[in-house]
Amino acid sequence: PVDLVRQPAGRDVVFLLDGSDATRSGFPAMRDFVQKQVDTLSVDDGKDRVSVVQYSSDPAVQFYLNTYTTKREVLDSVRGLRHKGGRPLNTGAALRYLRDNVFTASAGSRRPSGVPQVLILITGGRSFDSIDEPASALKQLGVLTIAIGTRGSDPRELQTITGEPSHAVSVSEFTDLPNVQEQLSSVMSTVPMRVTPLTPTVTGKNMTHLQSPVSLDVVFLLDGSDATRSGFPAMRDFVQKQVDTLSVDDGKDRVSVVQYSSDPAVQFYLNTYTTKREVLDSVRGLRHKGGRPLNTGAALRYLRDNVFTASAGSRRPSGVPQVLILITGGRSFDSIDEPASALKQLGVLTIAIGTRGSDPRELQTITGEPSYALSVSELTDLPKVQQQFESSVEAAVFEVTPELPTVIGFLCISNQLVACCGLSKTEVGQASVVKILVCQ
C-alpha cells in the first residue's frame, strides 16, 4: 500500500543578514523588512519558528529557532537588532555555520519532523570566501533559500546559493526592499507545498520513533575510568531516564550498556534482556569500573566488533537504526579517528556527551555532526541537557532511518512474489510501493 504523505504544518524560517561595514547605512531598512516578514508568519500558534543570524567576517546568532515562542518576543528582538560591523564578507562561512548550528534539532529546527526549512539571505556585497560547497550542503539538507541582494552583490553568486534563479531577487538599495515584498511573498507561498515522505510519531517521553522502522538498537558507552568515580551515580541515573523512554517490552527497542576505561566491559548485550524491568534493574545495579588510561578508541573498536553484531542482538541487517550514546569525562589516550570512522561506515549514529574535561573536537570527530556533541560542566549537570539530548536523538533517528524500498516485481502466483522478484520476504513486506506485472 502507498502511504499518504502528510503536509507539514508551519515553516522554520532563518534570516541571514549581511552585517558588514558596507551595510551600516542600509541596516535599518533591512531590519524593518525582517519585521514585516515576521509579521506575516504564524508564530503564536506554534506553526512557524524564526531565527535571525547576522554575519560579516564571522556569523553571530541573534536568536535561534527555539529561543522565542511568541511573535511579540521575535519582533521585540528584531527591533532591538544592532548592526554587527566587520569585514570581509564571508558568506560561505555563514552558510556553513547555519548548517552546523542553526538548522539542527538542538537549535529548534523541526527538519526531522518534515517541517520545511527556509533561509532568507539579505546581502549587500560579494562573498570573500567560496560559497559553492556550503550552498550545496544546505541544498542537500533540504533547505529552500531565497536571496535578496543589492547592486553591490553578484547575481550569479546569489543564484548559486539559491539553486533557483527565480529565488534570487535584486534591489538597487536596501531602502528598496519594500518593492520586492510581493515577489518574496509569492516565493514563500510555494514553500508549504514541499513535503517529506517520512512522518514521525512520538512515543514515550519525547523519544521519536519513525513509522518505518519502528525500532531502535541503543548502546550506551559509559566512561568508567578513575576520573568519573564521583559522577558515576549521575551518569547511571541519566541512563535510567533514557531507558524509561524506550519501548523494550513490546520488542521494538533493544538496549546494551558497556563501561570502559583502559579496556571495555560489557554490562549486557542488546539481546540479553527482553523487558524494560530487566534492563532498568541491571542499570540500577551498575558499579563503577575504574581504571586508567581512558582508551575511547579501543572501546569504539570493541563495539563495532562485538556489540553492533547480529550475534550480540543487533538488528542492523534488518534496517533497524543503530544508535550509540557515549558519556565521557575525559580525553581519549588513544586515537579515535579510525574506530569512529568505522562505526560511521557501519551506519551507527553516535551522540556524545562530554564534561569540561573532555575535548569538544574529539567528540565532534566521534559523532561526525557538531550538533550531536553535547557538553556539560560536570556529570551531575546531565539533566540540564535532557531536552537538547532528546532533540539530537530525534534528528539522529530521522537521519539514519533508511527510506523504504520501491519494489518492482512480477505476479506469478500471489504467494510467489518473493521468487519472482528475487527478494527476501522482509524486503517485500517492508516495501512502500509494489508494482505488479503479469508474467508471460
Side-chain angles (χ1 to χ4, degrees), residues 106 205 234 238 241-242 353 374-391:
S106 57
K205 184 185 175 185
F238 186 78
K241 288 177 183 175
Q242 306 320 312
I353 307 175
L374 313 181
S375 295
V376 291
S377 293
E378 306 287 347
L379 291 171
T380 50
D381 293 327
L382 281 169
K384 295 180 181 178
V385 295
Q386 178 75 30
Q387 186 174 354
Q388 190 179 358
F389 171 79
E390 288 170 351
S391 295

Side-chain angles (χ1 to χ4, degrees), residues 198 210-215 316-322 347 396-405 430:
L198 292 175
L210 296 179
Q211 289 180 344
S212 179
V214 291
S215 306
R316 186 176 65 86
S318 301
V320 174
Q322 308 291 287
V397 174
F398 176 81
E399 290 188 10
V400 299
T401 300
E403 290 189 15
L404 294 178
Q430 289 180 341

Side-chain angles (χ1 to χ4, degrees), residues 26 38 85 88 136 158 162 182 188 196 222 240 277 279 298 329 336 340 351 419 421 425 436:
V38 170
S136 176
L158 298 186
T162 64
E182 189 174 342
M188 285 287 286
T196 175
L222 311 180
Q240 281 183 238
R277 173 171 290 181
V279 173
I336 51 88
I351 299 167
C421 298
K425 289 183 179 179
I436 305 300

Side-chain angles (χ1 to χ4, degrees), residues 93-104 106-107 137-138 141 364 368-372:
L95 296 176
R96 187 177 296 108
Y97 184 88
L98 294 183
R99 177 187 180 277
D100 295 337
N101 300 278
V102 179
F103 287 111
T104 61
S106 57
L138 280 179
L141 208 64
Q364 289 181 18
E369 169 59 56
S371 64
Y372 296 164

Side-chain angles (χ1 to χ4, degrees), residues 209-394:
H209 289 254
L210 296 179
Q211 289 180 344
S212 179
V214 291
S215 306
L216 294 176
D217 288 341
V218 183
V219 177
F220 292 91
L221 179 60
L222 311 180
D223 177 349
S225 66
D226 290 346
T228 64
R229 189 173 301 278
S230 62
F232 191 74
M235 201 186 306
R236 186 174 54 207
D237 291 345
F238 186 78
V239 173
Q240 281 183 238
K241 288 177 183 175
Q242 306 320 312
V243 170
D244 218 26
T245 69
L246 299 173
S247 300
V248 180
D249 291 325
D250 57 9
K252 286 182 179 178
D253 299 326
R254 293 183 181 181
V255 182
S256 170
V257 173
V258 179
Q259 239 191 111
Y260 80 105
S261 51
S262 58
D263 59 338
V266 176
Q267 308 295 321
F268 53 91
Y269 292 96
L270 289 164
N271 55 1
T272 302
Y273 301 123
T274 57
T275 68
K276 185 180 288 188
R277 173 171 290 181
E278 291 175 310
V279 173
L280 288 174
D281 285 347
S282 185
V283 172
R284 288 189 195 99
L286 288 179
R287 296 292 175 264
H288 187 256
K289 180 181 183 299
R292 58 191 170 92
L294 186 69
N295 291 326
T296 307
L300 296 177
R301 188 177 295 107
Y302 183 88
L303 293 184
R304 177 184 181 277
D305 296 338
N306 301 277
V307 179
F308 287 111
T309 61
S311 59
S314 168
R315 295 167 293 174
R316 186 176 65 86
S318 301
V320 174
Q322 308 291 287
V323 180
L324 168 61
I325 298 169
L326 166 65
I327 307 178
T328 180
R331 299 165 184 257
S332 181
F333 188 78
D334 62 351
S335 174
I336 51 88
D337 294 342
E338 185 277 327
S341 176
L343 281 179
K344 290 190 197 83
Q345 290 174 7
L346 207 65
V348 176
L349 193 293
T350 302
I351 299 167
I353 307 175
T355 67
R356 60 187 172 192
S358 308
D359 180 354
R361 289 171 299 183
E362 181 179 284
L363 298 186
Q364 289 181 18
T365 298
I366 291 173
T367 63
E369 169 59 56
S371 64
Y372 296 164
L374 313 181
S375 295
V376 291
S377 293
E378 306 287 347
L379 291 171
T380 50
D381 293 327
L382 281 169
K384 295 180 181 178
V385 295
Q386 178 75 30
Q387 186 174 354
Q388 190 179 358
F389 171 79
E390 288 170 351
S391 295
S392 296
V393 172
E394 178 181 334

